[in-house]
Amino acid sequence: MVDLSIRIGDVDLANPVMPASGAFSWEYADVIDLNRLGGLVAKTICKEPRNGNPTPRMAETEAGIIQSIGLPGKGVYYFLDHIVPEYKKFTPPFIASISAETADEFAEMCSILSVPQIDVLEVNISCPTRNATGGNFSLHEEHTAKVMRDIRAATDHPVWAKLSPNAGDIVSIAVAAEEAGADALVIANTFLSLKIRTDNFRPALGNKFGGLVSPALKPIVLRMVYQVAKEVTVPVIGIGGVTKAEDVVEYMLAGAHGVGIGYAGFRNPTALTAIIDDLEAWCDARGIERITDLIGAVRDDDMETDTLVAASAGI
């Protein structure tokens, strides 16, 4: 039987499958055994209570949904007192996801949340509906480096930096995050998107723009994971379009240590554990003894990796 366990920095996980932040809650325990997941990732929280974005907050597309929830919540101290104890009823590592308006606030939140009950701080420096100096720091190298340095100085906890697919050069952003102290990189947040209603000519979301989540995004995020994993030494976690065990395998072959599942779990909560079962069966059928053997094992040494050189070769 395959050994599905992985290690991301100093954190041991029973398998590489985790929920994505914002598409999960401890209440999933009513449907699946949460102790089977590799990690438990809470919805992103902010320091102060937030009402979230104006409604409508979700819109369907032909291949997924656009959402602009706006990070509603009751603040960091409510999170510590009421949410953390719910997650600590289960055994997988607990990952707290946080967002802030400024680098100083990020650092303050990391300091507040550096408690034994929390195993990892996922710093959501890439909320797609916030601008580059008000939450979406990962659009620019210098903003990424600044916020990550402040975060690193504020905590000894493992820090996973969640990056944006909307950045022009995600590889440079990833390198900046690693150099500033990130212990792992989460790639990626949602794609900034727009839907317009044809009945009244107005945007479908109350906040106009939202983040697209869709299985169709997997090839794009997979390419990002592949490129980033080639240039950094810290582990990478891939998020985008995972709906089956083979998607997990693809991400790991591209260089990921783990994956986050959002859309599939939102559509069907049992998908999370079903994918773990199928991943185990997939490996056993092929005689793979350790899941970690798949990390970066794509067979492409004989292929040109520079996209400009490859494109110039023609057909």
Side-chain angles (χ1 to χ4, degrees):
M1 181 176 292
V2 63
D3 177 2
L4 292 179
S5 64
I6 61 168
R7 187 173 178 83
I8 298 179
D10 294 329
V11 183
D12 292 314
L13 285 73
N15 61 72
V17 175
M18 295 169 275
S21 174
F24 183 74
S25 169
W26 72 87
E27 288 122 331
Y28 272 43
D30 293 339
V31 182
I32 61 173
D33 180 3
L34 298 192
N35 289 322
R36 297 195 57 215
L37 302 181
L40 304 177
V41 185
K43 178 174 174 54
T44 299
I45 60 163
C46 301
K47 182 185 176 187
E48 304 296 338
R50 286 174 59 92
N51 291 325
N53 286 336
T55 59
R57 294 176 173 180
M58 299 183 70
E60 291 188 62
T61 74
E62 290 75 10
I65 57 173
I66 303 174
Q67 53 85 20
S68 183
I69 309 302
L71 305 179
K74 297 183 179 180
V76 65
Y77 294 106
Y78 181 91
F79 178 78
L80 281 170
D81 292 340
H82 299 280
I83 307 300
V84 172
E86 295 291 344
Y87 278 104
K88 294 312 291 183
K89 294 175 182 178
F90 308 99
T91 57
F94 175 50
I95 298 101
S97 180
I98 64 175
S99 180
E101 297 282 351
T102 67
D104 288 344
E105 188 175 82
F106 255 119
E108 182 182 3
M109 288 188 67
C110 286
S111 178
I112 293 170
L113 293 170
S114 294
V115 296
Q117 296 87 348
I118 295 174
D119 299 291
V120 177
L121 298 174
E122 178 190 82
V123 290
N124 181 359
I125 61 172
S126 55
C127 184
T129 52
R130 290 186 169 186
N131 63 42
T133 57
N136 198 350
F137 299 89
S138 66
L139 293 179
H140 301 285
E141 292 176 59
E142 60 270 26
H143 294 158
T144 298
K146 169 67 167 75
V147 70
M148 289 306 303
R149 282 196 298 267
D150 288 357
I151 288 169
R152 184 72 282 167
T155 182
D156 291 327
H157 265 45
V159 174
W160 297 357
K162 190 170 188 178
L163 304 185
S164 172
N166 304 302
D169 180 5
I170 195 170
V171 175
S172 296
I173 302 295
V175 171
E178 177 187 30
E179 291 178 347
D183 297 294
L185 304 171
V186 181
I187 301 173
N189 213 316
T190 54
F191 287 72
L192 190 63
S193 305
L194 171 67
K195 179 176 180 177
I196 299 174
R197 294 176 52 176
T198 55
D199 59 342
N200 61 10
F201 297 7
R202 293 184 59 80
L205 295 179
N207 197 50
K208 188 183 295 187
F209 302 115
L212 176 65
V213 291
S214 166
L217 298 175
K218 191 197 76 179
I220 305 173
V221 181
L222 186 71
R223 181 265 301 171
M224 295 179 179
V225 167
Y226 173 90
Q227 291 178 316
V228 168
K230 293 285 187 184
E231 300 299 327
V232 301
T233 59
V234 295
V236 174
I237 298 139
I239 298 180
V242 175
T243 61
K244 57 186 184 298
E246 287 82 1
D247 296 331
V248 181
V249 173
E250 268 196 272
Y251 270 115
M252 298 190 76
L253 292 174
H257 282 62
V259 301
I261 298 177
Y263 178 78
F266 177 80
R267 186 175 62 185
N268 174 17
T270 64
L272 293 160
T273 48
I275 287 172
I276 296 171
D277 290 338
D278 293 345
L279 181 62
E280 184 175 49
W282 188 94
C283 291
D284 287 343
R286 290 157 179 81
I288 296 171
E289 297 181 356
R290 296 178 301 275
I291 193 74
T292 53
D293 291 341
L294 296 177
I295 300 173
V298 59
R299 297 173 180 172
D300 66 342
D301 291 341
D302 60 336
M303 300 175 69
E304 177 59 59
T305 57
D306 187 307
T307 54
L308 294 178
V309 174
S312 67
I315 298 175

